[in-house]
């Protein structure tokens, strides 16, 4: 039985999850996802989010809402759900916590089922899911209904929101609709009629409705409807799983893709890929498929190529779905990546000398956040010309558990300090540069904090934040690294900064671990707040800004020229 997540997972992962456990050597099965503190935390937060919304619906809907009674296992919950839905006297039009009967290789449940025609026992049910991420962006056109009227008939075009298409949400709704259809609980089919699915996101202020039968599945399926895309993917993943379960030849072989980074099965696949020196270790996704189509299957083969001679063999048949493979500069870089991998070289220069704008006064910035709940710490490192402020590291933090209004206080203090630095530089005619590594997170919380805490002391108006983000003073080092280097082992700060000579004090330093430290620091899970974890987070944040300082000063030094250039590497 496959859940909806299988349709968005790597085919190889689906295969491995269905190989009989006894076929794996002892000690090689991955730990359950719950053993990962980051995964466990996100699951707990999602469960709390769903529970809070269920309580809110119970208040808003009154007798129109009923929750499936608790039961020990999925079969018992499915039976309890079925008993409720089959009750012709059921007054409620929204059923919470539904577990659907397993059928056709599917299993799953919905946070709510909405009666297609309120008050009509034979009208069927639409699925509604609750997720802990944002499902809309600023804009217009999303079809939304208020929480107190969670029904597509109450929905209309939203003038303030546009849909943020999340593939896994759309395909989960399609999965649930197919389960409802198999159980004869879906609304009657009608040619050209919409097939509705609802989503409530992190903001939990409206229901976003999606027509799963519409002619475009968006990110879920291009020109196909979401249901068509789902049907194709489910059939494929089911075939992969069945072949694995019956020990038939695998329908999915390992190949490194972006998903591998967080997959619990990656050590298993990595061992297989390293054993055969697979080309996807350095060139991923479609590029790896294209190279295999031209006979280049190993890193050694790729490293031995002469880029000037191009790829061997004729281009693949266009009907094969494979591209021609990398050519020209792309092939030069692919070959260099392969050579760097073979010689364990962490960086290769793509340019003669990296370019980073420098200032008279410089500030390195790093922000720490807890998922979608907020940013609890803004760390800065001031250096350069004397402007009458103490140089070195400073952290602006709130230790009230997120979400909290005190976050606005700490953000306001950070922005007041930064504004003071900018004003002092302007008065003295000094050039200020502020640096971060991968501005996506910092920019997100700069904007969100200005919006959420508008009017609090020190919090700037949104246009002031936008002016700073767009200014020459705000510099993201991530694109500098991306444009200047090939990085066989990744471009994250913790991958790149060691080449500049930086090392973190904490051997467990990392984003996932920092979220666990934060929960302990503020007692988010019910225990007493731990001051030692607060200090640990401050040291971690200080290290991040010092790593940024170390990286950028190295980039503008002569030492960076010790990194091999593309043409320096040999097979």
């Amino acid at each position: 039985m496959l859940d909806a997540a299988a349709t968005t997972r790597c085919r190889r992962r689906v295969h491995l999850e269905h190989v009989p456990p006894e076929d794996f050597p002892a000690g090689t099965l991955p730990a359950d996802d719950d053993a990962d503190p980051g995964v466990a935390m996100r699951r707990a937060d999602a469960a709390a989010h769903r529970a809070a919304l269920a309580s809110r619906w119970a208040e808003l809907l009154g007798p129109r809402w009923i929750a499936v009674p608790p039961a020990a296992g999925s079969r018992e919950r499915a039976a309890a759900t079925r008993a409720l839905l089959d009750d012709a006297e059921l007054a409620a039009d929204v059923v919470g916590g539904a577990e659907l009967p397993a059928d056709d290789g599917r299993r799953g449940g919905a946070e709510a089922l909405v009666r297609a025609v309120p008050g009509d026992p034979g009208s069927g049910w639409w699925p509604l899911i609750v997720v802990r991420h944002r499902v809309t962006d600023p804009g217009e056109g999303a079809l939304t209904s208020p929480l107190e009227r969670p029904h597509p008939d109450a929905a209309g075009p939203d003038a303030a929101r546009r849909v943020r298409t999340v593939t896994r949400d759309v395909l989960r709704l399609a999965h649930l609709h197919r389960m409802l259809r198999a159980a004869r609980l879906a609304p009657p089919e009608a040619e050209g009629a919409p097939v509705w699915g609802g989503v409530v996101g992190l903001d939990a202020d409206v229901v976003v409705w999606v027509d799963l039968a519409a002619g475009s599945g968006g990110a879920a399926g291009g020109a196909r409807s979401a249901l068509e895309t789902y049907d194709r993917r489910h059939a494929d993943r089911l075939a992969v799983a069945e072949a694995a379960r019956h020990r038939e030849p695998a329908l999915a072989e390992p190949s490194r893709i972006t998903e591998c980074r967080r997959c619990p099965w990656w050590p298993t696949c990595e061992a297989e890929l390293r054993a055969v020196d697979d080309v996807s270790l350095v060139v991923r996704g479609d590029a790896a498929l294209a190279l295999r189509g031209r006979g280049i299957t190993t890193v050694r083969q790729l490293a031995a190529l002469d880029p000037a001679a191009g790829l061997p063999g004729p281009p693949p048949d266009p009907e094969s779905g494979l591209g021609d493979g990398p050519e020209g500069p792309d092939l030069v870089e692919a070959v260099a990546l392969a050579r760097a991998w073979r010689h364990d070289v962490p960086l290769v220069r793509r340019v003669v000398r990296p370019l980073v704008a420098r200032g008279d006064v410089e500030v390195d910035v790093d922000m720490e956040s807890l998922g979608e709940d907020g940013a609890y710490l803004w760390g800065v490192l001031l250096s350069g010309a004397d402007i009458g402020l103490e140089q070195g590291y400073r952290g602006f933090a709130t230790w009230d558990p997120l979400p909290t209004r005190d976050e606005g206080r700490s953000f306001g203090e950070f922005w007041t300090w930064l504004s003071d630095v900018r004003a002092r530089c302007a008065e003295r005619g000094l050039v200020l540069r502020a640096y971060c590594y991968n501005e996506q997170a910092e920019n997100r919380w700069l904007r969100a904090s200005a919006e959420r805490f508008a009017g609090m002391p020190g919090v700037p108006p949104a246009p002031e934040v936008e002016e700073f983000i767009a200014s020459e003073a705000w510099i993201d080092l991530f694109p500098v690294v991306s444009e200047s280097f090939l990085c066989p082992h990744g471009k994250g700060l913790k991958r790149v900064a060691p080449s500049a000579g930086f090392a973190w004090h904490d051997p467990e330093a990392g984003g996932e671990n920092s979220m666990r430290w934060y929960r302990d620091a503020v007692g988010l899970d019910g225990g007493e707040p731990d001051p030692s974890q607060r200090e640990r987070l401050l040291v971690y944040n200080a290290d991040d800004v010092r790593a940024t300082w170390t990286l950028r000063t190295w980039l503008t030094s002569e030492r960076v020229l010790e990194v091999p250039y593309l043409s320096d590497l040999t097979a």
Side-chain angles (χ1 to χ4, degrees):
M1 295 294 175
L2 300 183
D3 60 15
T7 59
T8 54
R9 281 182 178 157
C10 160
R11 299 172 79 246
R12 182 64 179 181
R13 177 171 177 174
V14 174
H15 168 86
L16 291 170
E17 288 174 338
H18 289 84
V19 171
E22 59 269 22
D23 288 3
F24 291 96
T28 62
L29 283 171
D32 187 88
D33 277 350
D34 284 331
D36 182 321
V39 172
M41 183 191 72
R42 287 191 291 272
R43 286 181 175 172
D45 288 345
H49 179 58
R50 292 192 295 268
L53 194 57
S55 296
R56 190 171 175 192
W57 264 326
E59 294 176 4
L60 289 171
L61 301 178
R64 291 183 294 144
W65 163 273
I66 189 170
V68 174
S74 59
R75 288 185 179 179
E76 290 77 11
R77 290 195 300 273
T81 301
R82 186 84 209 207
L84 269 181
L85 301 182
D86 286 344
D87 183 358
E89 302 300 318
L90 181 65
D93 290 319
V94 184
V95 174
E99 182 77 18
L100 300 180
D103 192 23
D104 292 337
R106 301 179 179 92
R107 59 183 173 86
E111 281 69 58
L113 297 176
V114 177
R115 201 190 296 272
V117 179
D120 182 352
S123 65
W125 301 84
W126 299 125
L128 195 163
I129 62 176
V130 177
V131 298
R132 200 173 182 276
H133 52 258
R134 287 186 167 81
V135 296
T136 63
D137 289 314
E140 59 182 22
L143 198 63
T144 65
S145 68
L147 285 181
E148 61 270 22
R149 298 184 65 198
H151 196 282
D153 287 352
D158 197 312
R161 298 175 175 89
R162 65 178 177 85
V163 173
R164 177 190 289 187
T165 303
V166 181
T167 300
R168 65 182 182 273
D169 297 342
V170 175
L171 294 185
R172 183 182 169 205
L173 288 169
H175 180 89
L176 293 170
H177 177 76
R178 289 301 189 215
M179 292 189 74
L180 288 165
R181 175 72 57 206
R184 298 181 180 176
L185 294 170
E189 289 184 298
E191 184 70 27
V195 175
W196 294 113
V199 188
V200 178
L202 178 68
D203 294 330
D205 54 354
V206 295
V207 182
V208 178
W209 292 95
V210 180
D211 180 2
L212 304 174
S216 173
R224 294 190 297 271
S225 72
L227 285 172
E228 291 169 330
T229 298
Y230 167 79
D231 289 341
R232 290 163 63 101
R233 290 199 187 187
H234 175 71
D236 171 75
R237 301 309 195 268
L238 189 60
V240 169
E242 287 294 316
R245 190 167 67 89
H246 293 294
R247 298 186 172 92
E248 296 171 356
L251 298 182
E253 297 298 333
S255 185
R256 192 180 186 193
I257 58 175
T258 303
E259 184 183 333
C260 296
R261 183 176 55 184
R262 294 184 178 274
C263 179
W265 289 96
W266 170 239
T268 301
C269 291
E270 183 183 25
E272 292 185 42
L273 294 172
R274 284 184 177 272
V276 298
D277 193 36
D278 190 82
V279 71
S280 70
L281 289 167
V282 297
V283 182
R284 305 177 192 175
D286 291 342
L289 290 175
L291 285 170
R292 292 191 191 106
R294 302 290 286 272
I296 307 299
T297 62
T298 68
V299 176
R300 180 184 294 272
Q301 289 174 313
L302 181 57
L305 285 181
D306 175 5
L311 289 169
D317 184 336
E319 297 300 319
S320 69
L322 299 178
D324 288 343
E327 300 284 0
D330 289 341
L331 182 57
V332 170
E333 295 191 351
V335 170
L337 273 171
R339 293 175 179 177
W341 176 273
R342 284 181 50 75
H343 295 293
D344 199 26
V345 175
L347 295 178
V348 181
R349 267 185 300 134
R350 301 175 66 198
V351 298
V352 174
R353 181 183 288 277
L355 297 176
V356 181
R358 298 296 299 270
D360 303 309
V361 177
E362 297 177 329
V363 177
D364 296 280
V365 181
D366 185 73
M367 176 276 310
E368 308 295 342
S369 62
L370 182 70
E372 302 283 347
D373 287 341
Y376 62 88
L377 173 58
W378 292 87
V380 295
L381 180 68
L382 177 64
S383 58
D386 183 9
I387 55 173
L389 293 175
E390 183 179 355
Q391 297 197 353
Y393 172 76
R394 180 170 179 175
F396 301 88
T398 176
W399 299 116
D400 287 355
L402 293 174
T404 171
R405 290 290 290 176
D406 193 55
E407 180 191 347
R409 187 267 313 158
S410 60
F411 174 72
E413 291 178 357
F414 156 71
W415 191 265
T416 298
W417 179 89
L418 181 61
S419 298
D420 186 24
V421 171
R422 298 178 74 188
R424 288 170 184 252
C425 288
E427 289 170 1
R428 292 163 173 79
L430 299 174
V431 174
L432 170 68
R433 304 291 188 196
Y435 306 87
C436 66
Y437 197 83
N438 202 343
E439 67 181 6
Q440 182 177 356
E442 275 75 15
N443 286 355
R444 174 192 174 188
W445 288 111
L446 284 170
R447 291 180 171 118
S449 300
E451 177 183 343
R452 293 162 62 216
F453 305 114
M456 290 186 67
V459 174
E464 187 175 326
V465 169
E466 293 298 336
E467 179 273 326
F468 172 71
I469 289 173
S471 74
E472 293 183 352
W474 186 229
I475 297 173
D476 183 5
L477 293 179
F478 181 79
V480 176
V481 169
S482 298
E483 293 163 10
S484 303
F485 301 99
L486 298 177
C487 308
H489 303 294
K491 300 175 186 175
L493 184 62
K494 291 173 182 62
R495 292 286 189 178
V496 177
S499 292
F502 188 82
W504 276 258
H505 287 87
D506 197 317
E508 297 181 9
E512 292 286 349
N513 283 337
S514 73
M515 288 194 284
R516 176 167 51 85
W517 303 340
Y518 172 80
R519 298 181 77 89
D520 293 338
V522 301
L524 201 58
D525 297 318
E528 288 296 316
D530 186 345
S532 68
Q533 294 294 62
R534 297 182 183 183
E535 182 60 30
R536 189 178 194 180
L537 286 165
L538 288 169
V539 170
Y540 167 64
N541 181 254
D543 273 355
D544 276 356
V545 293
R546 291 189 177 106
T548 306
W549 180 91
T550 301
L551 177 62
R552 64 179 178 78
T553 54
W554 173 75
L555 286 169
T556 53
S557 73
E558 295 300 310
R559 291 182 297 124
V560 76
L561 301 180
E562 298 171 6
V563 174
Y565 188 61
L566 285 169
S567 58
D568 295 337
L569 297 174
T570 61

